[in-house]
């Protein structure tokens, strides 16, 4: 994920001394985006002013990802680059998963960094920054399984939808994955706290929420499961679209699928990480399901939710991957016909069980590259065929932003299709009904079919 670009304008407050400014650059997943919003919220409450560029900021925080080696290499490069934006008294901090993983090693590698703070340490940021101003250096990487930042009001910058963390950490132990080490054990927020936040989001004029968790459908707050949460969030007045990411195939109980199918605001899209299509490989990955279990899960969901779009994550080149196992991954893609997939080359992460597998299991780079290429072509081919079959359909979009070409607007359908439409930028944040007129294979172009403006319904006073 790239750095966040725009920030809401600050209210005009006349103060005797200018507020210290803070710039946060975010890498990695949506959970990191949500965490950056929390950090901004925490720091704004302590008198900081957010800015949208590092140039001359009093505090620069880099919120990092550790999932693959290249995510960390990018951050190390960026930390070097950031030096040129620093004033003599600028404080640079590294937060997030890479901070948690490397701890004090970051301070040794990048001398201009004063703070290293893991995902459970953001509450202490104002105090740590005060200390750093006095010349001290800090590493804060303890886990806190009670921490949900419940009293921190997130400062959101995404214009049209809200990221809502509902669960932190992960109790699975997939053998390739660093997340359980960087984000600690799984814990869920109380349902009532999530609902309250969703109500606040509606009051701010947003109508789409994305519930976030590492294995979000294993959500359980002691009294309520994910089915209860979907129903509760999905029936908040003014909410029009509910999404969630990322679920684990093993946590799709019939209750959860039923809640999804019967709550009209829950969108017809599931991002269902598959990782591999081979049962023996899934076993080595410790995914705790077989190819057949995965297919059965897909079948149950498709039977309950007509028009369900499915996307996935796939890893290529995990230790010991045989030709047959890789072919199984390709064949599962053909069988499920995913709408889209994020595909990754396996990256060995220090401390994970995969690094202790026999060295002769390592797949040579050229084999990984060839397999990766075949996988990408297979997935893209299927998604192109799927998309060509959708031309002429009419669907509702939430207009999200100006498209990259600068002319068209970009919107999302309920089933997660990206559609470019000619419309005035004033329509960002509105729902627009369009007919799909073209596809690049991956994204669509569409034409509005109605001139009737539809804003998300705002909550009625006293309702
Ligand atoms: N190497 C490659 N991909 C990985 N993922 C997680 N860990 C690794 C790794 N070590 C992928 C998985 C996961 C997604 C977020 O990142 O596919 O679902
Ligand atoms: Fe990582 Fe597996 Fe947990 Fe997902 S479920 S965060 S892949 S350990």
């Amino acid at each position: 994920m790239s750095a966040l670009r725009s920030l809401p304008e600050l209210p005009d407050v006349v103060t005797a001394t200018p507020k210290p400014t803070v710039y946060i650059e975010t890498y990695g997943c949506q959970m990191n985006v949500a965490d950056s919003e929390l950090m901004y919220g925490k720091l704004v409450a302590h008198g900081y002013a957010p800015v949208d560029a590092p140039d001359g900021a009093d505090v620069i925080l880099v919120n990092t990802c550790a999932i693959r080696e290249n995510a960390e290499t990018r951050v190390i490069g960026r930390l070097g680059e950031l030096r040129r934006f620093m004033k003599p008294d600028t404080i640079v901090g590294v937060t997030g998963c890479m901070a948690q993983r490397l701890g004090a090693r970051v301070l040794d590698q990048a001398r201009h960094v004063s703070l290293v703070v893991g995902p459970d340490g953001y509450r202490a940021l104002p105090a740590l920054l005060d200390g750093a101003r006095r010349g001290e250096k800090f590493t804060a990487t303890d886990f806190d399984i009670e921490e949900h930042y419940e009293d921190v009001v997130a400062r959101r910058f995404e214009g049209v939808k809200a990221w809502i963390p509902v669960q932190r950490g992960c109790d699975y132990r997939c053998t390739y994955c660093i997340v359980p080490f960087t984000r600690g054990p799984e814990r869920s927020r109380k349902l009532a706290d999530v609902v309250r936040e969703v109500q606040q989001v509606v009051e701010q004029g947003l109508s789409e929420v994305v519930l976030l968790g590492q294995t979000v459908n294993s959500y359980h707050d002691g009294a309520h499961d994910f089915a209860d949460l979907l129903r509760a969030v999905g029936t908040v007045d003014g909410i029009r679209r509910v999404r969630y990411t990322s679920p684990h195939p093993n946590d799709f109980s019939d209750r959860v699928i039923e809640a999804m199918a019967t709550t009209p605001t829950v969108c017809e899209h599931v991002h269902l990480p598959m990782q591999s299509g081979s049962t023996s490989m899934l076993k080595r990955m410790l995914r705790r399901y077989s190819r057949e279990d995965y297919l059965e899960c897909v079948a149950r969901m498709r039977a309950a939710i007509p028009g369900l779009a499915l996307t996935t994550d796939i890893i290529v080149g995990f230790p010991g991957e045989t030709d047959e196992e890789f072919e199984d991954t390709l064949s599962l893609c053909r069988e499920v016909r995913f709408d889209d997939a994020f595909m990754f080359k396996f990256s060995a992460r220090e401390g994970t069980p995969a690094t202790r597998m026999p060295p002769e299991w390592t797949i040579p780079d050229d084999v990984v590259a060839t397999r990766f290429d075949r996988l990408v072509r297979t997935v893209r081919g299927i998604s192109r065929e799927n998309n060509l079959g959708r031309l002429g359909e009419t669907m509702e979009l939430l207009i999200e932003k100006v498209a990259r070409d600068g002319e068209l607007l970009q919107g999302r359908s309920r089933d997660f299709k990206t559609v470019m439409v000619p419309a005035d930028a004033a329509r960002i944040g509105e729902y627009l009904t369009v007919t799909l007129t073209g596809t690049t294979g991956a994204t669509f172009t569409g034409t509005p079919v109605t001139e009737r403006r539809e804003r998300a319904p705002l909550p009625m006073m006293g309702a």
Side-chain angles (χ1 to χ4, degrees):
M1 186 146 310
S2 58
L4 298 163
R5 258 158 263 134
S6 59
L7 293 175
E9 281 189 11
L10 290 168
D12 287 330
V13 180
V14 183
T15 46
T17 45
K19 294 178 172 187
T21 54
V22 54
Y23 168 73
I24 307 180
E25 194 160 291
T26 309
Y27 294 86
C29 63
Q30 286 100 335
M31 189 62 92
N32 260 12
V33 176
D35 278 353
S36 290
E37 294 180 342
L38 281 169
M39 286 192 264
Y40 269 125
K42 181 80 192 161
L43 292 172
V44 166
H46 278 77
Y48 285 82
V51 288
D52 61 3
D55 216 346
D58 295 303
V59 174
I60 299 175
L61 299 177
V62 183
N63 195 12
T64 61
C65 171
I67 198 103
R68 283 169 293 276
E69 193 180 351
N70 57 10
E72 293 196 355
T73 315
R74 251 180 93 199
V75 166
I76 302 229
R78 183 61 178 153
L79 279 174
E81 269 174 34
L82 284 172
R83 275 176 188 279
R84 72 188 148 95
F85 299 115
M86 291 172 68
K87 303 179 295 179
D89 59 349
T90 295
I91 295 166
V92 177
V94 176
T95 63
C97 289
M98 186 178 161
Q100 184 71 37
R101 190 179 90 72
L102 295 176
R105 284 188 273 172
V106 176
L107 298 177
D108 298 334
Q109 281 185 26
R111 295 267 162 201
H112 58 302
V113 172
S114 309
L115 297 181
V116 179
V117 186
D120 287 349
Y122 303 148
R123 183 173 293 283
L125 268 177
L128 296 178
L129 288 169
D130 288 345
R133 216 166 275 120
R134 295 190 299 269
E136 294 170 56
K137 294 203 170 200
F138 296 98
T139 307
T141 52
D142 286 344
F143 288 130
D144 177 353
I145 59 157
E146 302 293 317
E147 186 58 276
H148 283 294
Y149 302 106
E150 223 44 89
D151 54 327
V152 179
V153 180
R155 183 109 181 157
R156 299 180 198 282
F157 5 53
E158 173 89 47
V160 304
K161 62 178 165 225
W163 310 110
I164 313 274
V166 302
Q167 176 200 56
R168 299 180 79 86
C170 180
D171 279 348
Y172 280 90
R173 281 275 183 272
C174 303
T175 50
Y176 51 80
C177 188
I178 195 75
V179 168
F181 301 86
T182 61
R183 288 195 167 265
E186 176 186 322
R187 61 231 112 121
S188 293
R189 287 173 75 183
K190 291 270 175 255
L191 179 137
D193 291 330
V194 176
V195 168
R196 195 171 315 117
E197 186 174 359
V198 171
Q199 286 164 339
Q200 285 161 2
V201 157
V202 172
E203 278 161 24
Q204 290 161 10
L206 303 183
S207 59
E208 177 170 323
V209 290
V210 188
L211 309 180
L212 300 179
Q214 238 63 55
T215 56
V216 67
N217 53 338
S218 70
Y219 171 94
H220 206 291
D221 74 352
H224 308 98
D225 68 359
F226 192 62
D228 297 324
L229 186 72
L230 281 181
R231 289 206 169 91
V233 167
T235 52
V236 167
D237 255 0
I239 281 296
R240 190 144 156 178
R241 287 184 175 185
V242 179
R243 302 184 186 279
Y244 58 89
T245 198
S246 286
H248 191 288
N250 283 9
D251 295 305
F252 269 114
S253 63
D254 287 342
R255 269 177 62 79
V256 169
I257 295 177
E258 160 95 18
M260 218 189 144
T262 55
T263 309
T265 50
V266 178
C267 292
E268 296 79 14
H269 168 232
V270 174
H271 181 72
L272 187 66
M274 149 184 135
Q275 314 301 359
S276 165
S278 150
T279 296
S280 49
M281 171 70 99
L282 289 165
K283 210 168 217 160
R284 290 205 297 289
M285 290 177 162
L286 197 61
R287 284 294 287 176
R288 304 164 203 249
Y289 53 83
S290 64
R291 174 190 177 95
E292 289 68 32
D293 295 335
Y294 187 89
L295 280 168
E296 191 258 347
C297 179
V298 167
R300 277 192 298 135
M301 283 193 291
R302 282 189 165 153
I305 304 155
L308 181 73
L310 278 174
T311 54
T312 197
D313 290 342
I314 305 168
I315 298 176
V316 174
F318 184 81
E321 184 182 64
T322 63
D323 284 338
E324 292 72 36
E325 286 173 333
F326 176 67
E327 292 299 331
D328 281 348
T329 293
L330 292 182
S331 75
L332 192 54
C333 290
R334 290 191 204 101
E335 204 163 333
V336 177
R337 297 189 62 79
F338 292 107
D339 289 77
D340 206 351
F342 293 111
M343 293 160 274
F344 309 103
K345 293 178 182 166
F346 168 69
S347 168
R349 307 310 291 132
E350 186 188 1
T352 58
T355 60
R356 297 189 286 276
M357 290 178 176
E360 59 274 19
W361 286 11
T362 303
I363 310 298
D365 287 352
D366 58 327
V367 176
V368 176
T370 311
R371 287 180 183 167
F372 187 76
D373 226 53
R374 278 189 69 201
L375 178 66
V376 170
R377 275 188 279 117
T378 303
V379 166
R380 296 273 136 83
I382 294 165
S383 111
R384 183 185 193 80
E385 282 170 19
N386 285 345
N387 288 348
L388 281 169
R390 307 278 307 261
L391 294 181
E393 268 184 43
T394 293
M395 55 178 62
E396 182 189 78
L397 300 183
L398 172 57
I399 304 297
E400 294 192 335
K401 56 185 172 191
V402 175
R404 226 181 275 163
D405 73 353
E407 304 230 325
L408 299 172
L409 298 187
Q410 184 173 318
R412 283 254 186 214
S413 65
R414 284 175 61 96
D415 67 350
F416 212 59
K417 299 293 174 201
T418 303
V419 186
M420 314 297 169
V421 276
D424 190 283
R427 294 207 149 180
I428 292 171
E430 292 183 10
Y431 291 89
L432 204 61
T433 304
V434 301
T435 302
L436 299 181
T437 48
T439 177
T440 60
T443 62
F444 290 93
T445 45
T447 331
V449 292
T450 169
E451 275 311 301
R452 192 163 53 89
R453 282 190 174 204
E454 289 182 61
R455 255 218 178 269
L458 286 170
M460 310 270 279
M461 294 302 290

Short mmCIF file of all heavy atoms in Angstrom, two decimals, residues 67-68 176-179 246 271 273 275 287 313-316 342 344-349 352, ligand 1:
data_model
loop_
_atom_site.label_atom_id
_atom_site.label_comp_id
_atom_site.label_asym_id
_atom_site.label_seq_id
_atom_site.Cartn_x
_atom_site.Cartn_y
_atom_site.Cartn_z
N ILE A 67 5.51 -8.49 6.15
CA ILE A 67 4.97 -9.76 5.64
C ILE A 67 5.91 -10.46 4.67
O ILE A 67 6.03 -11.67 4.67
CB ILE A 67 3.55 -9.55 5.04
CG1 ILE A 67 2.80 -10.87 4.94
CG2 ILE A 67 3.57 -8.86 3.71
CD1 ILE A 67 1.78 -11.07 5.99
N ARG A 68 6.57 -9.66 3.83
CA ARG A 68 7.57 -10.23 2.91
C ARG A 68 8.82 -9.36 2.96
O ARG A 68 8.76 -8.18 3.31
CB ARG A 68 7.02 -10.27 1.47
CG ARG A 68 6.06 -11.40 1.22
CD ARG A 68 5.34 -11.26 -0.10
NE ARG A 68 4.45 -10.11 -0.06
CZ ARG A 68 3.22 -10.14 0.44
NH1 ARG A 68 2.72 -11.24 0.91
NH2 ARG A 68 2.48 -9.03 0.45
N TYR A 176 4.45 -20.02 7.17
CA TYR A 176 5.20 -19.00 6.43
C TYR A 176 5.06 -17.62 7.05
O TYR A 176 5.74 -16.69 6.66
CB TYR A 176 4.68 -18.93 4.97
CG TYR A 176 3.16 -18.80 4.90
CD1 TYR A 176 2.53 -17.59 5.09
CD2 TYR A 176 2.37 -19.93 4.70
CE1 TYR A 176 1.16 -17.48 5.07
CE2 TYR A 176 0.99 -19.84 4.67
CZ TYR A 176 0.40 -18.61 4.86
OH TYR A 176 -0.96 -18.50 4.87
N CYS A 177 4.16 -17.45 8.02
CA CYS A 177 3.65 -16.12 8.33
C CYS A 177 4.26 -15.49 9.58
O CYS A 177 4.34 -16.10 10.64
CB CYS A 177 2.13 -16.18 8.48
SG CYS A 177 1.40 -14.56 8.63
N ILE A 178 4.63 -14.24 9.44
CA ILE A 178 5.28 -13.49 10.52
C ILE A 178 4.24 -12.79 11.42
O ILE A 178 4.55 -12.37 12.53
CB ILE A 178 6.26 -12.44 9.91
CG1 ILE A 178 7.24 -11.88 10.96
CG2 ILE A 178 5.54 -11.30 9.22
CD1 ILE A 178 8.33 -12.80 11.36
N VAL A 179 2.99 -12.71 10.92
CA VAL A 179 1.99 -11.90 11.63
C VAL A 179 1.77 -12.30 13.09
O VAL A 179 1.72 -11.42 13.97
CB VAL A 179 0.65 -11.87 10.84
CG1 VAL A 179 -0.48 -11.29 11.67
CG2 VAL A 179 0.83 -11.06 9.57
N SER A 246 -9.50 -10.01 6.52
CA SER A 246 -9.61 -11.19 5.70
C SER A 246 -10.11 -12.35 6.56
O SER A 246 -9.62 -12.52 7.68
CB SER A 246 -8.23 -11.60 5.18
OG SER A 246 -7.76 -10.78 4.18
N HIS A 271 -13.16 -12.11 0.28
CA HIS A 271 -11.75 -12.35 -0.01
C HIS A 271 -11.35 -13.54 0.83
O HIS A 271 -11.27 -13.44 2.05
CB HIS A 271 -10.91 -11.12 0.33
CG HIS A 271 -9.46 -11.33 0.01
ND1 HIS A 271 -9.00 -11.36 -1.27
CD2 HIS A 271 -8.39 -11.56 0.81
CE1 HIS A 271 -7.69 -11.61 -1.26
NE2 HIS A 271 -7.30 -11.75 -0.01
N PRO A 273 -8.60 -16.18 1.44
CA PRO A 273 -7.23 -16.63 1.16
C PRO A 273 -7.14 -18.15 1.03
O PRO A 273 -7.56 -18.88 1.92
CB PRO A 273 -6.43 -16.12 2.36
CG PRO A 273 -7.20 -14.92 2.82
CD PRO A 273 -8.64 -15.30 2.61
N GLN A 275 -4.10 -19.72 -0.53
CA GLN A 275 -2.65 -19.95 -0.39
C GLN A 275 -2.14 -21.04 -1.30
O GLN A 275 -1.10 -20.86 -1.94
CB GLN A 275 -2.24 -20.23 1.08
CG GLN A 275 -2.83 -19.31 2.12
CD GLN A 275 -2.51 -17.83 1.94
OE1 GLN A 275 -1.80 -17.46 1.02
NE2 GLN A 275 -3.04 -16.96 2.81
N ARG A 287 -2.29 -24.74 7.22
CA ARG A 287 -3.49 -23.94 6.99
C ARG A 287 -4.72 -24.57 7.64
O ARG A 287 -5.77 -23.96 7.75
CB ARG A 287 -3.73 -23.76 5.48
CG ARG A 287 -2.81 -22.76 4.84
CD ARG A 287 -3.04 -21.36 5.33
NE ARG A 287 -4.28 -20.78 4.82
CZ ARG A 287 -4.74 -19.58 5.18
NH1 ARG A 287 -4.10 -18.85 6.09
NH2 ARG A 287 -5.86 -19.11 4.67
N ASP A 313 -5.81 -15.03 -1.95
CA ASP A 313 -4.35 -14.86 -1.87
C ASP A 313 -3.71 -16.21 -2.19
O ASP A 313 -4.20 -17.25 -1.71
CB ASP A 313 -3.90 -14.51 -0.43
CG ASP A 313 -4.31 -13.11 -0.01
OD1 ASP A 313 -4.62 -12.28 -0.87
OD2 ASP A 313 -4.30 -12.86 1.22
N ILE A 314 -2.63 -16.17 -2.95
CA ILE A 314 -1.94 -17.42 -3.31
C ILE A 314 -0.43 -17.21 -3.16
O ILE A 314 0.10 -16.17 -3.56
CB ILE A 314 -2.24 -17.82 -4.77
CG1 ILE A 314 -3.76 -17.93 -4.99
CG2 ILE A 314 -1.56 -19.15 -5.13
CD1 ILE A 314 -4.17 -18.04 -6.44
N ILE A 315 0.24 -18.21 -2.57
CA ILE A 315 1.70 -18.16 -2.45
C ILE A 315 2.31 -19.20 -3.39
O ILE A 315 1.87 -20.34 -3.42
CB ILE A 315 2.14 -18.45 -0.99
CG1 ILE A 315 1.58 -17.38 -0.04
CG2 ILE A 315 3.66 -18.51 -0.90
CD1 ILE A 315 1.89 -17.64 1.43
N VAL A 316 3.34 -18.77 -4.12
CA VAL A 316 4.04 -19.67 -5.03
C VAL A 316 5.45 -19.91 -4.49
O VAL A 316 6.09 -18.98 -3.98
CB VAL A 316 4.15 -19.03 -6.43
CG1 VAL A 316 5.01 -19.89 -7.35
CG2 VAL A 316 2.79 -18.83 -7.02
N PHE A 342 -4.56 -11.98 -5.27
CA PHE A 342 -3.24 -11.41 -4.96
C PHE A 342 -2.29 -12.59 -4.95
O PHE A 342 -2.52 -13.58 -4.23
CB PHE A 342 -3.22 -10.73 -3.60
CG PHE A 342 -4.07 -9.50 -3.53
CD1 PHE A 342 -5.24 -9.48 -2.78
CD2 PHE A 342 -3.72 -8.36 -4.24
CE1 PHE A 342 -6.04 -8.35 -2.73
CE2 PHE A 342 -4.51 -7.23 -4.19
CZ PHE A 342 -5.66 -7.21 -3.44
N PHE A 344 1.70 -14.08 -4.58
CA PHE A 344 2.98 -13.73 -3.95
C PHE A 344 3.99 -14.84 -4.15
O PHE A 344 3.64 -16.02 -4.08
CB PHE A 344 2.79 -13.52 -2.44
CG PHE A 344 1.68 -12.58 -2.09
CD1 PHE A 344 0.45 -13.07 -1.63
CD2 PHE A 344 1.83 -11.21 -2.23
CE1 PHE A 344 -0.57 -12.21 -1.30
CE2 PHE A 344 0.80 -10.35 -1.92
CZ PHE A 344 -0.41 -10.84 -1.44
N LYS A 345 5.24 -14.43 -4.32
CA LYS A 345 6.34 -15.41 -4.25
C LYS A 345 6.67 -15.59 -2.79
O LYS A 345 6.75 -14.60 -2.04
CB LYS A 345 7.56 -14.88 -5.00
CG LYS A 345 7.34 -14.78 -6.48
CD LYS A 345 8.57 -14.21 -7.17
CE LYS A 345 8.31 -14.07 -8.66
NZ LYS A 345 9.29 -13.24 -9.34
N PHE A 346 6.86 -16.84 -2.37
CA PHE A 346 7.18 -17.11 -0.97
C PHE A 346 8.43 -16.32 -0.57
O PHE A 346 9.41 -16.25 -1.29
CB PHE A 346 7.44 -18.62 -0.77
CG PHE A 346 8.04 -18.92 0.57
CD1 PHE A 346 7.30 -18.77 1.73
CD2 PHE A 346 9.38 -19.31 0.67
CE1 PHE A 346 7.87 -19.02 2.97
CE2 PHE A 346 9.95 -19.57 1.91
CZ PHE A 346 9.20 -19.42 3.06
N SER A 347 8.34 -15.74 0.61
CA SER A 347 9.46 -14.99 1.17
C SER A 347 9.74 -15.55 2.56
O SER A 347 8.84 -15.59 3.41
CB SER A 347 9.06 -13.50 1.23
OG SER A 347 9.94 -12.75 2.00
N ALA A 348 10.95 -16.03 2.78
CA ALA A 348 11.28 -16.65 4.07
C ALA A 348 11.38 -15.58 5.15
O ALA A 348 12.11 -14.60 4.99
CB ALA A 348 12.61 -17.39 3.96
N ARG A 349 10.63 -15.73 6.22
CA ARG A 349 10.64 -14.73 7.29
C ARG A 349 11.31 -15.35 8.52
O ARG A 349 10.85 -16.41 9.02
CB ARG A 349 9.21 -14.28 7.64
CG ARG A 349 8.38 -13.80 6.49
CD ARG A 349 9.06 -12.77 5.60
NE ARG A 349 9.25 -11.48 6.22
CZ ARG A 349 10.38 -10.78 6.20
NH1 ARG A 349 11.46 -11.27 5.62
NH2 ARG A 349 10.46 -9.61 6.78
N THR A 352 10.02 -17.91 11.48
CA THR A 352 8.80 -18.69 11.17
C THR A 352 9.19 -20.16 10.95
O THR A 352 10.32 -20.46 10.53
CB THR A 352 8.12 -18.16 9.89
OG1 THR A 352 9.06 -18.21 8.82
CG2 THR A 352 7.63 -16.73 10.08
N1 LIG B 1 5.72 -15.04 1.75
C1 LIG B 1 4.86 -14.75 0.76
N2 LIG B 1 3.59 -14.37 0.97
C2 LIG B 1 3.14 -14.31 2.23
N3 LIG B 1 1.95 -13.99 2.75
C3 LIG B 1 2.04 -14.06 4.10
N4 LIG B 1 3.27 -14.44 4.47
C4 LIG B 1 3.98 -14.60 3.32
C5 LIG B 1 5.31 -14.98 3.05
N5 LIG B 1 6.18 -15.29 4.02
C6 LIG B 1 0.79 -13.67 1.94
C7 LIG B 1 -0.37 -14.63 2.20
C8 LIG B 1 -1.33 -13.77 3.00
C9 LIG B 1 -1.07 -12.40 2.41
C10 LIG B 1 -1.52 -11.27 3.25
O1 LIG B 1 0.34 -12.36 2.28
O2 LIG B 1 -0.93 -14.98 0.96
O3 LIG B 1 -2.67 -14.18 2.84
#
